[in-house]
């Protein structure tokens, strides 16, 4: 985010919980790592059926996906039971099965939002969903959030950074404090389908660790650490995953956090950034939503700042 305040190095941690296993096992681990350092974060929960096994089928339908799986050693990130979930094994409903770890997040003083109902379905089918289907899908996730927490969600993050004019329209009906649906650039009001939406969008500005793991030029954890250490230049938003930083790469994540703390980085919540921007003197830009590709990630992601791709993906 180019806010022009270089003395303040800040990283808002956005935690995406995508799968049943990640939510069940990754959350306790991340809470430990964060609380040991007094860091707060913004968690987004996928609450419906975990059909991540379907993602295995993408090997056959998406160019680059198999390569990504191999490079990122996906089988070690995603255990066999996750890869089969929703295909050969029944799809567990994450909100029902993981109520305890999910609620433990706000008890530990972090904040929470919605990361969709069926992550795989959203990512694969959003462009073909009718407005009614989108409304149903989002409505289920928000209803489950309400059941779990006793209040409506004030923020949401689109699964796989996948949005459409329809999904933005449905989202707008909820009068959220913020969304974090896109990659790269400064906070903005998204424009799509001939209208401008008034829900503040706060993009993820740094590449994710699962992307970095697939960059051919960064072969060691030392290289990845130094990349992240130097990447913070103002206020950043960093997306982590319960399946990755809360799983096999927890140790590396701890080192990345400690490197940042050594540089004086602080860790605001996304809601704090949203309130600051809404109260600030700067006009909030309106930007059309487009799709882009990022190094190390299969498929496309939404962005309001395609020019920021150079920064996120300098490592092609
Ligand atoms: Zn996700």
């Amino acid at each position: 985010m180019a806010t022009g305040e270089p003395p303040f190095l800040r990283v808002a941690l956005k935690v995406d919980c995508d799968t049943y296993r990640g939510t069940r096992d990754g959350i306790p681990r991340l809470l430990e790592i964060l609380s040991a350092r007094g860091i707060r974060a913004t968690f987004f929960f996928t609450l419906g059926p975990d059909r991540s096994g379907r993602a295995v089928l993408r090997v056959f339908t998406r160019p680059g996906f198999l390569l990504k799986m191999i490079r990122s050693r996906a089988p070690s990130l995603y255990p066999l039971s996750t890869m089969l979930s929703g295909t050969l094994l029944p799809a567990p409903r994450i909100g029902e099965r993981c109520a305890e770890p999910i609620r433990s997040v706000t008890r530990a003083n972090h904040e929470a939002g919605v990361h969709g109902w069926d992550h795989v379905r959203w990512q694969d089918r959003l462009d073909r969903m009718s407005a009614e289907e989108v409304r149903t899908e989002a409505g289920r996730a928000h209803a489950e959030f309400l059941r779990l927490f006793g209040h409506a969600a004030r923020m949401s993050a689109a699964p796989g950074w996948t949005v459409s004019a329809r999904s933005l329209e449905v989202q707008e009906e909820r009068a959220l404090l913020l969304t974090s649906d896109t990659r790269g650039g400064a906070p903005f009001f998204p424009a799509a389908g001939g209208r401008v939406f008034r829900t503040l969008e706060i993009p993820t500005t740094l590449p994710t660790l699962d992307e970095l793991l697939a960059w051919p030029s960064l072969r060691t954890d030392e290289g990845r650490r130094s990349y992240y250490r130097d990447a913070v230049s103002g206020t950043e938003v960093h997306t982590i995953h319960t399946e990755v930083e809360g799983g096999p790469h927890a140790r590396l994540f701890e080192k990345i956090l400690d490197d940042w703390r050594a540089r004086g980085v602080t860790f605001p919540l996304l809601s704090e950034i949203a309130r600051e921007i809404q109260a600030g003197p700067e006009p909030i830009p309106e930007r059309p939503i487009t799709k882009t590709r990022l190094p190390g990630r299969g498929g496309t992601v939404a962005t309001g700042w395609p020019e920021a791709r150079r920064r996120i993906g300098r490592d092609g």
Side-chain angles (χ1 to χ4, degrees):
M1 242 175 271
T3 52
E5 296 164 348
F8 301 107
L9 300 180
R10 304 193 298 178
V11 177
L13 291 173
K14 166 179 178 275
V15 188
D16 287 0
C17 311
D18 289 2
T19 64
Y20 165 63
R21 283 281 298 266
T23 305
R24 189 191 64 184
D25 304 337
I27 286 177
R29 198 148 179 203
L30 285 177
L31 291 184
E32 238 175 77
I33 292 172
L34 296 172
S35 83
R37 293 164 177 78
I39 294 173
R40 296 171 75 198
T42 306
F43 285 68
F44 292 93
F45 301 110
T46 308
L47 295 167
D50 174 5
R51 282 192 240 276
S52 46
R54 294 268 164 102
V56 173
L57 300 176
R58 283 187 215 143
V59 166
F60 304 107
T61 58
R62 292 242 180 118
F65 191 77
L66 180 60
L67 190 61
K68 190 214 157 189
M69 298 265 284
I70 293 167
R71 280 195 189 143
S72 69
R73 289 163 296 171
S76 70
L77 292 182
Y78 300 100
L80 190 61
S81 59
T82 293
M83 306 216 357
L84 298 179
S85 183
T87 52
L88 302 178
L89 301 174
R93 289 216 176 166
I94 302 170
E96 271 170 29
R97 302 277 297 274
C98 300
E100 200 27 50
I102 288 171
R103 289 188 179 122
S104 73
V105 162
T106 50
R107 276 204 307 270
N109 212 19
H110 302 283
E111 64 181 0
V114 160
H115 191 45
W117 177 250
D118 180 337
H119 197 290
V120 171
R121 186 176 131 82
W122 182 276
Q123 226 177 323
D124 286 354
R125 296 190 47 89
L126 181 65
D127 280 346
R128 282 168 283 157
M129 283 188 207
S130 68
E132 247 348 275
E133 284 176 295
V134 175
R135 194 169 281 111
T136 303
E137 189 81 5
R140 282 181 175 158
H142 281 272
E144 184 66 347
F145 186 98
L146 176 64
R147 185 186 75 79
L148 286 163
F149 290 104
H151 63 84
R154 301 290 329 276
M155 52 192 110
S156 142
W161 300 281
T162 305
V163 306
S164 66
R166 281 184 186 134
S167 74
L168 294 172
E169 201 178 303
V170 166
Q171 204 150 251
E172 187 91 335
E173 294 163 5
R174 295 191 174 273
L176 302 172
L177 172 65
L178 68 95
T179 58
S180 189
D181 292 345
T182 65
R183 298 293 301 270
F188 64 100
F189 289 131
R195 64 179 278 206
V196 179
F197 298 94
R198 292 292 151 192
T199 306
L200 182 67
E201 163 61 22
I202 305 181
T204 291
T205 63
L206 297 176
T208 63
L209 180 55
D210 63 310
E211 288 161 4
L212 242 65
L213 289 167
W215 290 6
S217 58
L218 279 183
R219 295 202 171 275
T220 63
D221 281 354
E222 278 314 302
R224 293 170 192 126
R225 269 177 77 176
S226 75
Y227 175 87
Y228 278 122
R229 189 170 45 233
D230 300 340
V232 178
S233 62
T235 299
E236 312 286 350
V237 177
H238 182 43
T239 296
I240 66 170
H241 289 92
T242 42
E243 294 76 14
V244 180
E245 283 88 344
H249 298 285
R251 282 293 299 136
L252 174 56
F253 177 54
E254 289 184 284
K255 289 177 182 156
I256 292 165
L257 287 180
D258 291 337
D259 289 340
W260 278 338
R261 290 163 78 220
R263 278 192 73 194
V265 169
T266 58
F267 300 87
L269 296 172
L270 281 181
S271 66
E272 291 168 347
I273 293 180
R275 291 202 178 89
E276 185 181 298
I277 288 166
Q278 298 279 18
E282 300 286 326
I284 299 168
E286 298 169 0
R287 306 279 307 181
I289 291 277
T290 57
K291 288 180 181 178
T292 190
R293 288 179 180 278
L294 296 175
R297 180 159 301 283
T300 59
V301 293
T303 185
W305 303 85
E307 62 271 39
R309 186 185 180 284
R310 277 199 305 280
R311 187 172 168 235
I312 303 185
R314 58 157 203 189
D315 218 287

